[in-house]
Amino acid sequence: MPDCTVVVITYNDAARLPRAVRSVLGQSLRDLEVIIADDASNDDTARVAGELARTDPRVHYLRRQTNSGGCGAPRNDGLDAAAAPYVMFLDSDDELPRHACKSLLGEIERTGADFVAGQISRLHERSGRLAPYYPSLFARRRVVAGIREEPELFLDSFSTNKLYNVRFLRENGLRFPEDIHYEDHVFAAGLYAVSRRFAIVPWVVYHWHRAPDDSSISLNIKELDNVRHRVAAARLSDDVLRAHDAGDLVPARQDRFLRQDLRVYLNPLPRRDRVWVEEFASIVRPYLEEVPSEAFERIEPMARVCCRLILDDRVDDLMVAARSLSYPCAAPRVAVRHAGRTYWGTTVTPGMDITRLRMAELPYTAARLRHEVTEIAADGERIRMVVHTYDPFGMLPSEWTAFLQLGGERVPIKPVPSGDGGYVSKITFTPADSCDPRIGFTRLSDGRTTTDRLMAPPTMEPIALRGRTVTAEGNAAYLRVRAPSVTSPLQRIKRRLMRRLSTPAMKLRFYKAVIRLLPPRRNLALFEADVGKGYTGSPRAIYEELRRRNLPIDVVWSVARDRANFPGDARLVRRGGWHYVWLLARAGIWVDSHGFPLNYPKPPGTRYLQTWHGQGIKSVGFDAPDLRADFDRPRDEWRAAVARWDALISPSAEFSRIFLPSNGYQGWVLRYGTPRCDALVRRETRHDVMERLEIPPGTKILLYAPTYRDRAKNSGQSVRADLELMAEELSGEWVLILRTHPVERFSTPQHLRHFVRPAGSYPEINDLILASDALLTDYSSVMCDYALTGKPMVFLIDDWDEYRLTERGVYHDLPAIAPGPCVTTTEEVVAALRELPAVHAAYAERYAAFHRLWCADERGDAAARVVDAFFERREAS
């Protein structure tokens, strides 16, 4: 008896069947059988399947005499023939990852579950990108004591991402219906109804292929029969639950229909014609009428609006509203504000409540307008169009100027009132480079601008001009200009030559030749902050002190990308370029906060001032994750890099105690405080944060500054607070400034922009610190800088054990020394903020001890003392 049977169903798929079967035969679990269940194919499938069976004795071939028209019958055939105690199902156009069977078998045997479900991922064949399906459902490994414990799992109604106990299926009479599409939805309803114990694993166990020309049942959504089958499957699934005395679960299963099944048709609905939409609504409406009203309250606002419009038979409005479903979601044409709530359309109707989107509460620069292109045509090499602009939330001021944004170009336009509260613009433009055209309005009172994209007619045919195409893209049909990249043969030759010559190895060879031949220029200094990411930190403070004294030192700043925040007269060089390599070789002074390229030896005679960029509880140097492993090359490389330092700025005795041995540094230590923190001690702000981030007067500011997780950089996982909950509980009284770490990527959802001000790229964190009323952080070194203000701090450390034991590692027990409450839930954060004065007072003694530990040397003159020691005395000598 094999350990596992994999049933591969197929119909007229001879080309892809071998790939699917090979993915099973290549499993790390070798003791298995493959049953190919052929639904009476009339292509070459029989020959291909027969050859697969002859090649490997584990493969068995079953063939139906007549086609059943669906997936249920061949799956039942395979289930009936299964010889193993466990079974999986695979479609012939998909694949199993190599360890799927073995990992699921181990889990079902370990847990004694009726079945085990794992993550299913869409594999987009055109790009090779894997997109997990509802990853939150599979985020943790667990055993579930029946579907009532987690009814959200109705969202996982696939039959293919599971390993089943065959005896359990047979004893409970669980089979697939054979006269309907979406049979797996009905099967899943019965499965969940009778299972008392099933397991969930977080790894991917199924690759669901999405081919560009995919014509599978689940993707053939243009056909109205497809809609009929899905609605019928939904209704039958509800009946199955009731038949198993699980009628109380029907609302949860209907929630799946509203959140997933219906959205499959609503998202592309704007591109359908009116006749199709009218028929679609008539098919769906009877089932929606069976859904209790409270179920609609749980889905997102615009989906709820679309359901209400279907129920009210408002087809034209439905076609308008559906354009607000897919990202980037369009604003409505009209909205009504009443009693602090916002409604889609012209009436105050509960089903039309879109308050949760918070579009009416956005700051002006993020305000949402709706620009609909009502006429568009080519005029030679130009585009002529008429645009109707709607201002549903009354965001436009009385005085403004308007423009069409085409990439970096702005074309002035003159919208005129349309008579319905909006504006009409007649625009002529010549498309240039690829771009998403936008219309912008600049407020004359303060020069702030808000822009939004243009929505083309959904059925618009692409307009081809010379070398450019104007199209409507996405379900919302946003206007897009596409221009191919055109290069001359000479340019292509130059690029190939530069790529060949501009390799890291070639630049390093050039650098070493220069430092052998030319001495460094004594008064030339290369400054760099945060690996060239900005004009900030201690290098900035030292630079400004040098300028104040007018010392004869020629400073050049290394810049990775953003040049906007540097002084206008600062000399800049692109980090990593040839000129940068030349300056590294010629500069007699290096100053930076992180580290110049590690494998570049310091030129003889050059002096290197390392300012570093923070202090705190996190492990550093050879204790940090990337160096504590026993690999000689990275450790030797860092040891050589540290040996280049001639002087190191130390903010405190505690920093010296930790940092020096953990980095193997034995050189000159300048323990004068932190130049970067001088501005905090002196309360010097460089920008009006309230004005720049559009924070209303009288609002309290919470600075949320989490640090990154070493094993999840660029993932957004450092933002662990529930921003949705915080917005619900605190907006109006507080605004949250989100300062993510430079190596982190996090996109703030639009519906939270009324409460959250993204500030990951804000030029100077000191301004944010001084403007804020409190800090929310985790393990970030910002806590040491913030202690200089004396203002309250709250620490969200829900992953404390993981962070200290298996992630980054720490030198201090944060809960024992933190100058504020250490909490593990967002609810506790909210509670602490509501009682902030009392909470802060309760930590006064610990706050003072924390200040003594990290901030005792901060007197506001660190930059001056560093310049005295490293620059002035050197010059005098």
Side-chain angles (χ1 to χ4, degrees):
M1 180 187 295
D3 289 329
C4 175
T5 297
V6 179
V7 177
V8 183
I9 65 168
T10 188
Y11 174 68
N12 285 355
D13 199 17
R16 294 182 293 191
L17 177 61
R19 181 183 67 187
V21 172
R22 282 196 298 268
S23 78
V24 183
L25 298 177
Q27 289 288 298
S28 54
L29 177 70
R30 305 298 297 169
D31 192 9
L32 48 74
E33 71 167 348
V34 182
I35 295 177
I36 301 174
D38 180 3
D39 198 12
S41 297
N42 54 35
D43 67 346
D44 205 25
T45 294
R47 184 192 63 78
V48 171
E51 182 63 30
L52 289 168
R54 284 190 294 273
T55 303
D56 194 308
R58 294 176 296 171
V59 179
H60 308 286
Y61 177 48
L62 302 178
R63 175 180 168 83
R64 296 182 67 83
Q65 295 305 307
T66 58
N67 179 257
S68 69
C71 299
R75 285 200 179 118
N76 288 334
D77 293 344
L79 177 59
D80 291 340
Y86 303 105
V87 65
M88 283 190 76
F89 298 100
L90 172 65
D91 294 346
S92 60
D93 53 344
D94 298 331
E95 289 180 277
L96 296 182
R98 185 168 186 269
H99 302 293
C101 293
K102 187 174 184 177
S103 64
L104 290 176
L105 178 65
E107 195 72 3
I108 202 168
E109 290 181 337
R110 183 184 71 84
T111 61
D114 300 323
F115 67 91
V116 180
Q119 177 74 69
I120 191 168
S121 279
R122 298 179 180 91
L123 177 59
H124 296 271
E125 293 184 351
R126 179 173 291 166
S127 63
R129 182 175 61 90
L130 274 173
Y133 174 89
Y134 283 104
S136 60
L137 297 179
F138 306 94
R140 56 190 178 87
R141 188 176 183 178
R142 63 200 186 276
V143 175
V144 182
I147 191 65
R148 286 181 178 83
E149 191 173 273
E150 293 189 44
E152 190 180 26
L153 286 167
F154 274 118
L155 285 167
D156 174 21
S157 289
F158 291 96
S159 60
T160 51
N161 63 327
K162 299 174 179 67
L163 178 74
Y164 306 88
N165 182 315
V166 173
R167 181 179 177 182
F168 165 76
L169 296 182
R170 291 172 177 168
E171 287 181 348
N172 286 279
L174 290 173
R175 298 177 67 78
F176 294 89
E178 299 186 2
D179 56 352
I180 192 173
H181 294 164
Y182 301 105
E183 73 294 326
D184 48 353
H185 294 191
V186 184
F187 175 82
L191 179 74
Y192 285 129
V194 300
S195 175
R196 297 293 174 262
R197 179 182 178 84
F198 58 90
I200 305 292
V201 297
W203 52 84
V204 174
V205 300
Y206 195 86
H207 286 162
W208 177 18
H209 278 255
R210 303 292 293 270
D213 59 346
D214 206 321
S215 58
S216 66
I217 291 171
S218 61
L219 295 179
N220 192 19
I221 58 175
K222 292 182 180 180
E223 300 298 327
L224 287 167
D225 271 348
N226 187 284
V227 183
R228 293 186 181 94
H229 274 279
R230 198 183 290 257
V231 171
R235 186 173 281 113
L236 186 55
S237 298
D238 297 346
D239 292 341
V240 167
L241 291 174
R242 295 186 184 102
H244 285 91
D245 296 323
D248 58 303
L249 291 171
V250 169
R253 212 224 62 83
Q254 290 173 334
D255 182 68
R256 181 234 147 78
F257 180 84
L258 298 178
R259 290 174 60 185
Q260 176 63 29
D261 299 334
L262 189 62
R263 286 295 294 269
V264 169
Y265 306 103
L266 288 178
N267 287 345
L269 185 141
R271 292 187 174 274
R272 310 287 187 238
D273 60 53
R274 193 185 188 284
V275 173
W276 190 98
V277 176
E278 192 167 10
E279 180 67 12
F280 162 77
S282 70
I283 296 169
V284 172
R285 188 179 302 113
Y287 184 70
L288 292 184
E289 290 172 343
E290 300 174 16
V291 177
S293 58
E294 57 268 21
F296 295 105
E297 296 302 316
R298 293 192 293 269
I299 62 177
E300 65 97 2
M302 284 310 304
R304 183 171 61 246
V305 167
C306 289
C307 289
R308 185 70 263 165
L309 295 172
I310 292 172
L311 288 167
D312 293 345
D313 197 18
R314 295 166 58 183
V315 173
D316 292 325
D317 287 338
L318 174 62
M319 297 179 72
V320 172
R323 298 183 77 175
S324 298
L325 286 170
S326 300
Y327 181 83
C329 301
R333 286 177 176 174
V334 184
V336 176
R337 296 271 286 164
H338 177 72
R341 305 201 68 78
T342 308
Y343 299 86
W344 191 94
T346 58
T347 59
V348 177
T349 306
M352 313 297 279
D353 190 326
I354 59 170
T355 307
R356 214 165 80 208
L357 297 178
R358 302 294 178 182
M359 285 190 182
E361 303 162 47
L362 296 172
Y364 182 74
T365 55
R368 296 306 312 278
L369 304 177
R370 185 180 180 112
H371 308 296
E372 292 187 9
V373 178
T374 57
E375 299 176 28
I376 185 167
D379 180 6
E381 290 302 305
R382 301 183 301 174
I383 293 291
R384 291 188 182 274
M385 62 184 181
V386 177
V387 181
H388 194 142
T389 293
Y390 299 88
D391 180 17
F393 309 112
M395 297 298 290
L396 291 180
S398 56
E399 295 185 332
W400 43 260
T401 59
F403 56 88
L404 175 70
Q405 181 94 43
L406 299 168
E409 178 189 4
R410 286 187 175 183
V411 180
I413 62 173
K414 294 183 178 180
V416 297
S418 61
D420 57 4
Y423 300 88
V424 173
S425 308
K426 294 182 178 180
I427 302 172
T428 301
F429 70 97
T430 302
D433 297 329
S434 297
C435 67
D436 300 318
R438 291 174 171 266
I439 285 182
F441 287 83
T442 300
R443 193 164 60 187
L444 294 184
S445 60
D446 57 12
R448 292 193 183 280
T449 293
T450 185
T451 67
D452 223 322
R453 295 175 67 179
L454 280 71
M455 303 170 68
T459 57
M460 165 186 155
E461 293 294 327
I463 300 175
L465 303 174
R466 187 183 305 164
R468 297 172 301 282
T469 306
V470 181
T471 63
E473 297 191 355
N475 291 326
Y478 281 105
L479 201 66
R480 172 77 174 166
V481 176
R482 291 196 175 275
S485 177
V486 180
T487 55
S488 67
L490 185 61
Q491 289 174 316
R492 288 195 291 271
I493 292 171
K494 182 179 178 182
R495 286 181 182 178
R496 283 198 295 268
L497 184 61
M498 289 303 295
R499 279 197 299 268
R500 185 171 297 176
L501 294 177
S502 296
T503 62
M506 187 69 72
K507 288 177 180 177
L508 183 58
R509 194 175 299 125
F510 169 78
Y511 172 84
K512 289 180 177 179
V514 173
I515 65 175
R516 281 197 306 269
L517 297 173
L518 298 175
R521 288 177 47 197
R522 176 170 177 167
N523 290 330
L524 175 62
L526 184 61
F527 273 55
E528 185 172 287
D530 196 8
V531 201
K533 290 179 181 174
Y535 177 62
T536 186
S538 290
R540 171 181 179 170
I542 293 167
Y543 172 71
E544 291 177 350
E545 180 66 18
L546 291 175
R547 293 184 63 179
R548 188 184 66 79
R549 300 188 188 192
N550 199 27
L551 290 182
I553 297 174
D554 185 13
V555 175
V556 181
W557 276 91
S558 159
V559 186
R561 49 178 182 269
D562 188 4
R563 299 170 176 242
N565 297 303
F566 284 84
D569 59 349
R571 289 183 58 195
L572 308 178
V573 63
R574 182 176 62 84
R575 191 179 199 272
W578 281 103
H579 191 200
Y580 174 82
V581 174
W582 171 257
L583 288 171
L584 267 177
R586 298 306 320 281
I589 301 170
W590 289 359
V591 178
D592 93 304
S593 62
H594 285 68
F596 286 114
L598 297 182
N599 53 351
Y600 279 62
K602 188 182 61 172
T606 292
R607 297 185 302 125
Y608 187 171
L609 172 61
Q610 175 56 252
T611 71
W612 208 241
H613 50 274
Q615 58 175 333
I617 70 166
K618 298 189 298 184
S619 66
V620 293
F622 296 111
D623 299 331
D626 52 344
L627 290 177
R628 63 181 174 229
D630 190 19
F631 296 110
D632 289 339
R633 181 173 177 179
R635 292 170 68 86
D636 290 344
E637 193 174 55
W638 181 243
R639 192 174 287 110
V642 171
R644 299 178 301 179
W645 303 349
D646 293 288
L648 169 69
I649 293 176
S650 170
S652 65
E654 184 64 9
F655 175 88
S656 295
R657 183 186 73 82
I658 293 172
F659 189 90
L660 271 58
S662 63
N663 285 275
Y665 180 71
Q666 298 178 338
W668 185 19
V669 177
L670 305 179
R671 226 190 86 189
Y672 302 141
T674 314
R676 178 188 69 251
C677 292
D678 288 349
L680 296 177
V681 176
R682 298 196 294 258
R683 304 293 193 270
E684 292 178 353
T685 59
R686 296 176 173 88
H687 301 285
D688 185 346
V689 173
M690 301 282 286
E691 168 70 18
R692 196 159 177 169
L693 296 182
E694 300 176 271
I695 299 174
T699 307
K700 288 185 283 190
I701 299 175
L702 176 66
L703 174 59
Y704 181 24
T707 193
Y708 66 94
R709 302 307 189 261
D710 288 82
R711 293 187 293 182
K713 293 178 182 177
N714 297 311
S715 68
Q717 292 183 28
S718 67
V719 182
R720 305 182 71 84
D722 185 341
L723 301 182
E724 190 111 24
L725 174 63
M726 295 184 73
E728 286 292 325
E729 298 290 337
L730 301 172
S731 63
E733 180 183 1
W734 289 85
V735 163
L736 183 145
I737 296 178
L738 178 58
R739 175 71 172 198
T740 50
H741 193 278
V743 304
E744 187 60 287
R745 290 182 183 177
F746 181 82
S747 179
T748 302
Q750 177 189 280
H751 69 280
L752 297 179
R753 286 295 308 276
H754 71 292
F755 172 68
V756 178
R757 300 295 189 270
S761 59
Y762 196 91
E764 184 54 70
I765 191 172
N766 282 349
D767 296 342
L768 304 178
I769 290 174
L770 292 173
S772 64
D773 296 285
L775 171 70
L776 174 62
T777 189
D778 43 25
Y779 321 108
S780 171
S781 62
V782 72
M783 67 177 79
C784 299
D785 293 358
Y786 205 85
L788 289 166
T789 69
K791 292 185 287 191
M793 290 187 254
V794 179
F795 300 84
L796 178 59
I797 57 169
D798 61 309
D799 61 340
W800 168 241
D801 286 337
E802 179 184 358
Y803 190 85
R804 69 188 178 91
L805 296 175
T806 64
E807 238 272 352
R808 181 62 181 254
V810 296
Y811 297 111
H812 287 270
D813 182 8
L814 181 61
I817 69 166
C822 290
V823 300
T824 58
T825 68
T826 304
E827 289 83 356
E828 291 176 295
V829 172
V830 171
L833 292 174
R834 284 180 171 157
E835 302 294 333
L836 197 56
V839 169
H840 186 45
Y843 282 84
E845 187 173 329
R846 194 185 283 187
Y847 204 120
F850 190 88
H851 186 280
R852 288 193 299 272
L853 182 65
W854 301 107
C855 308
D857 292 336
E858 302 292 0
R859 304 188 317 212
D861 61 353
R865 297 175 72 187
V866 167
V867 169
D868 282 342
F870 192 81
F871 294 92
E872 291 275 30
R873 292 175 193 168
R874 176 74 177 193
E875 292 301 315
S877 63

